[in-house]
Amino acid sequence: MKRMQEKVCLVTGAASGIGLACAQRLAEEGAHVLLTDRDAAKGEQVTAALAAAGLSVSFQRHDVVSRTEWESVIDAAVATYGQLDVLVNNAGVALLADIEHCELADWKRTLDVNLDGVFHGVQLAVRAMKAKGGSIVNLSSIEGILGEPHAAAYNASKGAVRLLTKSAAVYCGRSGYRVRVNAVCPGFIETPMVAQAFASLPADQAQALQAKTFSRVPMGRLGQPVEIANAVLFLASDEASFVTGIDMLVDGGYTAG
């Protein structure tokens, strides 16, 4: 039997990058997966490709800052597949700026998506899962552990996601809900979001940050989305039945040295 056979999963930010890789791996292991994303055209396109490969997938447009849209996608997962077993809170933005120059609008947008969006998902998923159990996997980051001078808002949002994860994990465990809540903390991964984040900086800063990044990764390369997806798959599966409240680092050794 496949590792996720007949489980129902919801993956946010699933039109590209890590989210798409997570959706694909979960579906390959037998899950029914609802992909969501703000980019409806791209989301429909990638979902059609996964369906053509024989995977059980569907798509719904979803802006994670909207409580109403959160309620809609969770209702859709339950209505389509009968239950919700796994939520992967992947959607996020990276608007890079240091603390001196970070615009308030960019600060608020980053926390709206990266933190409030995760809050909505965790809260509503706990309510949907508590009767029979489930797994929530939040995408944090090594930037939620280490300070990055050009990522004040991103650092704050991802650090908050880590502690929200732990709080929810302890609450669910002590409430007897059998809902596990964990965080995956990717390092620098080859995704459109990382490319866009570097491109948003002045050329000299971008060059310096890229050089610093490669020099700090002991494995000497960027990670691939599927390498994060495999970690998410483990935490989503019953193989991780005694794992809750952790930060799983997948960073090529970046935080080790």
Side-chain angles (χ1 to χ4, degrees):
M1 180 181 292
K2 293 184 177 180
R3 298 163 73 187
M4 299 296 293
Q5 194 69 38
E6 298 303 317
K7 290 189 183 291
V8 177
C9 306
L10 192 164
V11 182
T12 70
S16 64
I18 291 171
L20 176 56
C22 289
Q24 181 170 343
R25 285 296 292 122
L26 292 166
E28 287 171 347
E29 290 294 335
H32 306 291
V33 183
L34 174 59
L35 293 79
T36 76
D37 202 281
R38 288 184 67 209
D39 188 340
K42 185 67 179 296
E44 294 282 7
Q45 178 186 1
V46 299
T47 302
L50 295 177
L55 302 179
S56 178
V57 292
S58 57
F59 175 78
Q60 184 167 325
R61 188 194 179 280
H62 176 204
D63 185 341
V64 295
V65 304
S66 168
R67 181 73 170 200
T68 300
E69 292 188 21
W70 261 113
E71 292 167 345
S72 176
V73 297
I74 288 181
D75 288 347
V78 174
T80 302
Y81 302 114
Q83 61 195 41
L84 179 64
D85 299 299
V86 174
L87 168 64
V88 180
N89 266 316
N90 166 74
V93 294
L95 306 174
L96 299 189
D98 59 67
I99 189 61
E100 185 178 4
H101 300 100
C102 182
E103 297 289 343
L104 181 59
D106 288 344
W107 170 270
K108 289 185 173 180
R109 174 63 180 165
T110 301
L111 268 67
D112 279 349
V113 175
N114 293 359
L115 179 57
D116 291 1
V118 171
F119 162 76
H120 292 311
V122 171
Q123 185 176 73
L124 293 172
V126 166
R127 293 174 182 174
M129 294 175 179
K130 65 182 182 180
K132 68 180 295 291
S135 174
I136 299 169
V137 184
N138 297 324
L139 271 294
S140 180
S141 171
I142 61 169
E143 300 288 1
I145 299 170
L146 302 174
E148 167 56 54
H150 301 294
Y154 193 73
N155 281 156
S157 68
K158 292 301 187 177
V161 166
R162 288 180 55 237
L163 285 181
L164 173 61
T165 297
K166 294 179 186 300
S167 175
V170 173
Y171 171 79
C172 289
R174 290 182 176 166
S175 298
Y177 287 169
R178 294 188 300 114
V179 177
R180 297 181 295 103
V181 191
N182 291 291
V184 172
C185 299
F188 287 88
I189 310 300
E190 195 171 335
T191 65
M193 188 175 80
V194 169
Q196 290 163 10
F198 280 129
S200 72
L201 294 171
D204 59 333
Q205 290 183 17
Q207 221 170 26
L209 182 56
Q210 286 176 316
K212 174 190 170 186
T213 299
F214 279 100
S215 71
R216 285 286 306 274
V217 181
M219 294 185 73
R221 64 174 176 85
L222 295 180
Q224 295 302 308
V226 70
E227 294 175 303
I228 306 304
N230 285 330
V232 170
L233 172 62
F234 167 69
L235 292 174
S237 76
D238 292 339
E239 295 166 13
S241 57
F242 198 53
V243 180
T244 195
I246 71 162
D247 305 318
M248 180 178 284
L249 280 82
V250 187
D251 67 354
Y254 190 99
T255 55

